Amino acid sequence: MVIHQISVFLENRAGTLAEITGILSAQHIDLRAIHIAETADYGVLRLIADDSQRASSVLLEHGFILSMTPVAAIAVPDEPGGLNRLLQALSEQHVDIEYMYSVFGRTNGHAYMIFRVADPEGLAAIASAAGLHPADGAELGVC
């Protein structure tokens, strides 16, 4: 199942992240996952929100530069080696992972990981074949 991630391009300055979370909070938009990659001059904030379309619209209205990216969300057993099981399956299929990060919390003994790959649907199929569960938007509380 494909989930929509928002990537926001930010100036690397104090308070920018608080500004974004404040804007989203004021609109009652809840974050499910967040990741920041940075350089000396700018950062890329990657987030999964409960309503990606509305979050994107609100941030665009406030002048932020962003893009929407399809990503795959996969449930992995929250136990030693749980993530490795998926990574081994991806390695065997020669899937290149651009980046990954985790979702807040866990459910029913599973942690959830977000993966950026060239083919999110293909990753979900590989995960299923390895006995792992691709997560859908409803499971993560996103629409």
Side-chain angles (χ1 to χ4, degrees), residues 12-135:
N12 194 358
R13 64 173 170 80
T16 305
L17 192 54
E19 180 182 357
I20 288 174
T21 57
I23 290 166
L24 296 174
S25 174
Q27 295 295 315
H28 306 286
I29 296 170
D30 199 8
L31 298 179
R32 300 293 186 233
I34 191 167
H35 175 268
I36 299 173
E38 51 85 26
T39 67
D41 298 324
Y42 69 93
V44 178
L45 170 67
R46 295 181 174 113
L47 59 90
I48 307 291
D50 63 344
D51 188 337
S52 295
Q53 292 297 338
R54 199 161 66 92
S56 294
S57 294
V58 167
L59 292 172
L60 286 168
E61 287 170 9
H62 283 84
F64 287 97
I65 299 168
L66 60 85
S67 65
M68 295 280 282
T69 307
V71 294
I74 308 294
V76 296
D78 190 10
E79 62 190 28
L83 177 60
N84 182 256
R85 190 165 134 200
L86 175 58
L87 296 177
Q88 285 295 329
L90 297 177
S91 176
E92 289 167 8
Q93 295 296 318
H94 307 287
V95 174
D96 182 32
I97 299 169
E98 292 181 36
Y99 56 82
M100 63 181 239
Y101 55 95
S102 63
V103 174
F104 298 149
R106 65 183 207 137
T107 306
N108 299 324
H110 288 92
Y112 294 88
M113 301 298 296
I114 302 296
F115 289 88
R116 173 66 172 142
V117 296
D119 180 8
E121 293 289 348
L123 184 145
I126 292 167
S128 292
L132 298 168
H133 172 69

